[in-house]
Amino acid sequence: MSTVSEPSSHAPGRGKTVGLFVTCLVDMFRPSVGFAAVKLLEDAGCRVVVPDVQTCCGQPAYNSGDRGDARAVARQVIAAFEGFDHVVVPSGSCGGMIAHHFPGLFDDDRPMRQRAEALAARTHELMSFLVDVLGVRRVAARCDATVTYHDSCSGLRELGIKAQPRTLLAGVAGLKLAEMTNPEVCCGFGGTFCVKYPDISNAMLIDKTADIAGTGADTLLAGDLGCLMNMAGKLQREGKAVRVRHAAEVLAGMGDLPAIGEPERTEAPVSDRARPRAHRRTSAGS
Amino acid sequence: MQSTAHAFKANVGHALVDDNLQQSLAILKVGFSERRRQAAERLPEFEALRDRARDIKNHALAHLDFYLEAFEAKVTALGGHVHWAPTAADARAAVLDICRRAGARTVTKSKSMIAEEIALNDHLEAHGIEPVETDLGEYIIQLRREPPSHIIAPAVHLTKDQVADTFLEHHRKLGFDKRLTERNDLVAEARQVLRRRFLEADVGITGANFLVAETGSSMLVTNEGNADLTNTLPRVHVVIASIEKVIPTLEDAATLLRVLARSATGQESASYTTFNTGPRRPDDPDGPAEYHVVLLDNGRSSVLGTQMQDMLRCIRCGACMNHCPVYGAIGGHAYGWVYPGPIGAVLTPQLVGVEEAGNLPNASTFCGRCESVCPVRIPLPKLMRHWREREFERHLTPASVRQGLALWAFLARRPQLYRRATGIANRMLALFGRADGRYGWLPLARGWTRHRDFPAPQAGGTFHAQWKARGGARR
C-alpha cells in the first residue's frame, strides 16, 4: 500500500480555507485520521487550518440531556470555526452534531441561532465534502485489500452519507469492496450507550461482527472512529482476523499503518507519514 | 398492566439469555424490515404519502377538540354513545358498566392496545366477566397469561413449539388431545375453539385504528377477520380508542391506510378493513343493537402544545420496533409495559412517569432507523433526547453519569487544560498498551471491556500535540 503522487492539474479546493474539526476521539486515539484528512484536503487544493481551541463537539452532554453544557461547548465551537470557507470533520457523528443539531440548541437565542445555522451550512463530513462539495471522484491511493464498509448511523441518516465513501474507495487501486448484508444497521456503539447498556450493545455488536465476517473481507472501514473502535475491539476479542481502519486513512494512502487495536510496528509518530508541507509552516494569518 | 419498566436492566438480562425469544427475534429482524422495504419500493409516491400522513395527523392534533366533538356529534346522531374517559380507571369503569347493563357473561375482544393500556381484561375478570381474545396472537398470550411483546404481533416472542405446547395444555379439556406441529393445523384448532366463543359472546370489544370525524366511523384493520365477528355477532359493540385516533375525513383515512399496512407488514392493504358507523340500522342485515365508543385521554391531552406532541401522531404500525436494533436484541417484554420499542421509549415515560420508565429513552444509540421508517415521521430520537433532558433537569440522571459529565464539561470548556489532560491520558494509554495495541481490561471502562477489547492510542502523542510540534497552521 502506498501513495501515488497526485496530478495537481485540477485542484477543486484551490483558494478555499478549511477549518479541520479533528474530533476528540481522533485527537486522543487515532491522530493518523486527522493527518489523513489534512492530506486529502491539501491534495484537493485546500488550505487547512486546525483551530487551537477545539475540544469536543458536545455530544456527550447533548445526548445525556445536559443541554446547558452542550450549549456552552457549541458556543466555543461556533466561535472557533466561523471564519472559514468550510469546516470539515472526519466523522459523520460529530459532523452531524454541528451541521444538524447545533442550531436547535439556540432556539431561544436568535443571534446565536443564526451563527449556528451559518456554521451548520458550511460544515461537512470529510468524504461528503470531497465528493459533494469539491467534486472529487478519485484519489490517488493504493490498498491491496478486500474491504467492507459500515455505514455509521449519524452520517448515513443525518447527513446522507452512503455513496460518497464508496465512490472514493472505488478509485483506490487494488481495493475490492465486499458489502455486508446489513451495512446500515447500528454497530451498538452509540457513545455512552455502549457502557451504560453494555449487554444490549454487545448483542448488537455480535450481529455486526458476524455480518462483517460473512463478507470474507480482510479489512473493515467506516467514517467514524467511535464505531470503528467498538467493532475493532469486538473483532479482536472474538479472534476474527479483520483489520479495522478509518476510510480516510486508506484514501490518503496510509493503509499500511497498524490497524486500530494493533501494536505499533515503528517508533515513528504517525505525523511523519503525512508531514505538513512547507507552506503550512508559515502562519495562517487569520 | 403493572409496569416493570423500572427493572429494565434486569428484564434485559433475562431477555438476552432466553433462547426461544432470541430464535424468534432472529426471524423478526429480517422479515418485517425486508417486507416494508419492498412495499415502499413498489409505491413511487410512498415518501410523499408519508409527508401527507404526517400533515393529516398534525392538522387533526392542532384541532383535536373540534374533531373529537364533531365525531361525538356524528356518533350520537347515528344512535351510538360516546363515553369520555379522562383516566384508565374511568375507561375501565365505562366498559364494565356497559357490560353489566348488557348482562354480559363473556365478551369477545379483537386486538386493542388501549385495552392493554387500561388493563381491561383483569378488570373484567375481577368482576366476573370472561374476556376472550380473538386475534390469534392475543389469544395465545391470553392463554399463557403474558402481555403482548409487539404492538401488531403480540406473540412474536414465541416459537411454534411453544404455541403447540400451550394449545395442548389448554385445549385438551375441550377434546383436542393431539400436539400439533404444523402452523396451519394450529390456526385451524384455534379457529374451531374460538368459533363457539364468538357465538356465545354478549358484548364485542374492539380497538380502532382511526376515528373518522366526518362520518362518526371507527375504522379497524385486521388480517384474520376476527374483528368483524367481534363487532357484528354480539348484541353490543364497544370501541375503545384514545383521543388522538381521530382524523377529519374518510379521504384522510384512505391516505393513512396506504402507509399503515405497508409500514407494518409490507402489505399493500390489510386483509380486512372495516368501518363501523353506529348501531344496526333498520335495513341492515346484521350489526350490533348498541354501539359505544369509549374515548381515553390518560394524559395525552397534556402533551398537546408541548415539544413532545409529535408522539401523538403515531398510528401504531410497529415499523419503529421492527427496525430497532435494540428491540431486535431484547424483544418487547424487557421494556416492561404496554408499548415497546422506540415509540414505547417515548410514550411510556409519558403514561407511567419518567421516574418509572427513565431507562427506556436512554437505551438507544440514536441510530435513527426508527425515524427513517416512521410513516408519520415522528422524530423518535429527538423525543427520547427530550426525556433525557427532563431527567437531567430533575436530577434523575444517575450520580455517576452526572459527575462524569461535569468533569468532562469542565475540561471541554477549557481547551488548554483539556490538552494537558488528554496528553497525559494519551501517553499513559499508549505506553501501557503498546505491546498488544489494546487492552483486555481497563479500570473505569469495564462496561466496555466486559465484551470487547479497548484499542490503545497510536504512539506519538495526541493529534493536537503532533500538529503543534510540526508547526502546522493554526490560529
Side-chain angles (χ1 to χ4, degrees), chain B residues 4-323:
Chain B
T4 64
H6 59 274
F8 177 75
K9 288 192 176 183
N11 297 346
V12 166
H14 298 307
L16 289 172
V17 297
D18 182 338
D19 290 339
N20 283 318
L21 172 66
Q22 292 301 324
Q23 204 181 318
S24 303
L25 289 172
I27 299 167
L28 170 137
K29 276 187 274 194
V30 185
F32 274 122
S33 58
E34 182 56 22
R35 286 196 291 274
R36 185 244 174 224
R37 188 186 63 75
Q38 290 176 5
E41 273 180 12
R42 282 195 301 266
L43 189 67
E45 66 268 40
F46 188 70
E47 292 305 310
L49 278 173
R50 289 174 67 194
D51 289 340
R52 182 79 195 110
R54 174 199 57 205
D55 295 346
I56 289 169
K57 291 292 287 187
N58 276 346
H59 173 83
L61 291 170
H63 307 281
L64 192 61
D65 51 347
F66 173 80
Y67 287 115
L68 283 170
E69 286 180 359
F71 174 78
E72 181 190 30
K74 272 287 174 191
V75 171
T76 307
L78 291 161
H81 306 275
V82 171
H83 309 261
W84 299 88
T87 67
D90 295 326
R92 285 191 296 265
V95 175
L96 180 63
D97 185 52
I98 296 164
C99 291
R100 280 179 164 165
R101 284 168 192 270
R105 295 176 58 190
T106 68
V107 305
T108 42
K109 286 179 66 210
S110 79
K111 215 178 85 54
S112 158
M113 292 310 294
I114 297 300
E116 299 289 342
E117 183 179 325
I118 65 172
L120 182 61
N121 285 2
D122 291 346
H123 191 68
L124 293 176
E125 279 176 4
H127 291 85
I129 296 168
E130 186 194 0
V132 180
E133 295 290 352
T134 64
D135 170 271
L136 180 60
E138 286 284 345
Y139 176 68
I140 293 165
I141 60 169
Q142 188 185 27
L143 291 180
R144 295 173 63 91
R145 312 295 295 182
E146 287 176 357
S149 65
H150 189 287
I151 64 173
I152 66 161
V156 74
H157 57 287
L158 298 171
T159 62
K160 194 177 66 181
D161 280 344
Q162 288 174 293
V163 176
D165 292 338
T166 301
F167 276 15
L168 184 62
E169 181 190 341
H170 290 272
H171 291 169
R172 188 178 265 150
K173 58 180 178 283
L174 302 171
F176 301 94
D177 51 7
K178 185 162 173 279
R179 186 179 184 278
L180 302 171
T181 51
E182 291 302 314
R183 203 170 293 267
N184 288 343
D185 294 341
L186 288 162
V187 174
E189 185 174 297
R191 183 175 279 141
Q192 280 189 62
V193 172
L194 285 171
R195 188 54 52 123
R196 189 170 58 82
R197 310 310 307 264
F198 278 122
L199 292 168
E200 69 191 17
D202 306 297
V203 173
I205 299 173
T206 69
N209 290 90
F210 305 109
L211 304 171
V212 183
E214 175 183 49
T215 58
S217 308
S218 68
M219 202 220 77
L220 197 60
V221 297
T222 74
N223 277 323
E224 298 169 18
N226 61 306
D228 302 281
L229 294 174
T230 304
N231 64 38
T232 47
L233 291 176
R235 203 182 64 79
V236 179
H237 177 202
V238 182
V239 178
I240 48 177
S242 47
I243 53 174
E244 83 280 13
K245 289 285 193 290
V246 74
I247 53 170
T249 65
L250 285 174
E251 182 73 31
D252 295 330
T255 302
L256 289 162
L257 278 171
R258 297 184 75 196
V259 294
L260 175 60
R262 287 178 171 88
S263 300
T265 55
Q267 294 167 285
E268 290 178 9
S269 166
S271 304
Y272 299 86
T273 299
T274 306
F275 291 83
N276 293 292
T277 310
R280 180 178 185 170
R281 290 159 296 195
D283 297 336
D284 286 347
D286 53 25
E290 284 182 37
Y291 176 73
H292 299 267
V293 182
V294 177
L295 287 174
L296 176 72
D297 182 343
N298 206 18
R300 288 168 174 77
S301 55
S302 69
V303 182
L304 290 169
T306 71
Q307 60 182 1
M308 309 298 273
Q309 179 176 308
D310 291 341
M311 74 167 82
L312 297 181
R313 284 207 297 271
C314 178
I315 57 174
R316 304 288 190 268
C317 69
C320 61
M321 55 201 77
N322 294 341
H323 291 78

Side-chain angles (χ1 to χ4, degrees), chain A:
Chain A
M1 302 182 200
S2 63
T3 313
V4 181
S5 71
E6 164 85 3
S8 56
S9 54
H10 62 95
R14 181 159 295 150
K16 291 182 192 294
T17 301
V18 166
L20 182 67
F21 188 87
V22 178
T23 80
C24 58
L25 289 179
V26 167
D27 178 45
M28 174 87 176
F29 291 99
R30 195 82 184 162
S32 57
V33 176
F35 289 105
V38 170
K39 177 176 188 304
L40 288 165
L41 291 167
E42 288 188 342
D43 284 352
C46 301
R47 193 173 70 101
V48 179
V49 179
V50 184
D52 199 15
V53 294
Q54 59 179 300
T55 56
C56 168
C57 67
Q59 278 190 92
Y62 184 57
N63 290 339
S64 300
D66 178 1
R67 224 174 149 80
D69 281 324
R71 280 162 61 111
V73 174
R75 282 176 195 277
Q76 190 172 289
V77 175
I78 292 166
F81 282 90
E82 59 192 348
F84 300 107
D85 297 323
H86 301 281
V87 175
V88 172
V89 191
S91 157
S93 171
C94 314
M97 180 66 192
I98 300 171
H100 192 77
H101 294 283
F102 268 18
L105 281 171
F106 301 103
D107 278 341
D108 54 354
D109 183 343
R110 201 175 153 76
M112 264 321 290
R113 184 174 169 107
Q114 284 171 345
R115 290 171 65 190
E117 282 172 353
L119 181 69
R122 291 198 305 276
T123 299
H124 305 272
E125 182 277 338
L126 173 66
M127 289 179 283
S128 63
F129 177 73
L130 293 172
V131 174
D132 298 338
V133 179
L134 298 185
V136 173
R137 290 290 174 272
R138 200 174 174 82
V139 292
R142 178 165 193 93
C143 180
D144 292 303
T146 301
V147 309
T148 194
Y149 190 87
H150 167 72
D151 295 292
S152 288
C153 300
S154 302
L156 174 70
R157 299 194 182 87
E158 290 179 356
L159 304 176
I161 298 167
K162 175 77 185 179
Q164 302 90 332
R166 288 171 177 79
T167 299
L168 294 174
L169 289 169
V172 173
L175 185 145
K176 283 196 293 290
L177 183 66
E179 293 281 7
M180 284 178 246
T181 310
N182 293 302
E184 298 183 358
V185 172
C186 181
C187 70
F189 173 59
T192 56
F193 169 87
C194 72
V195 289
K196 281 196 296 186
Y197 300 95
D199 299 336
I200 304 177
S201 173
N202 183 49
M204 294 162 67
L205 191 45
I206 287 171
D207 282 357
K208 179 54 73 175
T209 54
D211 200 356
I212 292 165
T215 64
D218 53 57
T219 302
L220 167 69
L221 302 180
D224 276 82
L225 192 52
C227 315
L228 287 164
M229 289 173 68
N230 183 45
M231 293 184 286
K234 189 66 183 181
L235 288 163
Q236 285 167 337
R237 181 66 62 90
E238 291 177 331
K240 292 193 167 95
V242 179
R243 310 179 93 194
V244 181
R245 304 178 191 285
H246 194 289
E249 296 174 310
V250 168
L251 296 174
M254 295 159 68
D256 55 348
L257 284 171
I260 295 168
E262 279 187 353
E264 297 286 333
R265 290 191 298 261
T266 164
E267 294 301 306
V270 292
S271 59
D272 282 357
R273 312 190 64 89
R275 185 183 294 274
R277 285 189 213 137
H279 78 264
R280 276 195 295 108
R281 292 224 179 89
T282 60
S283 164
S286 51

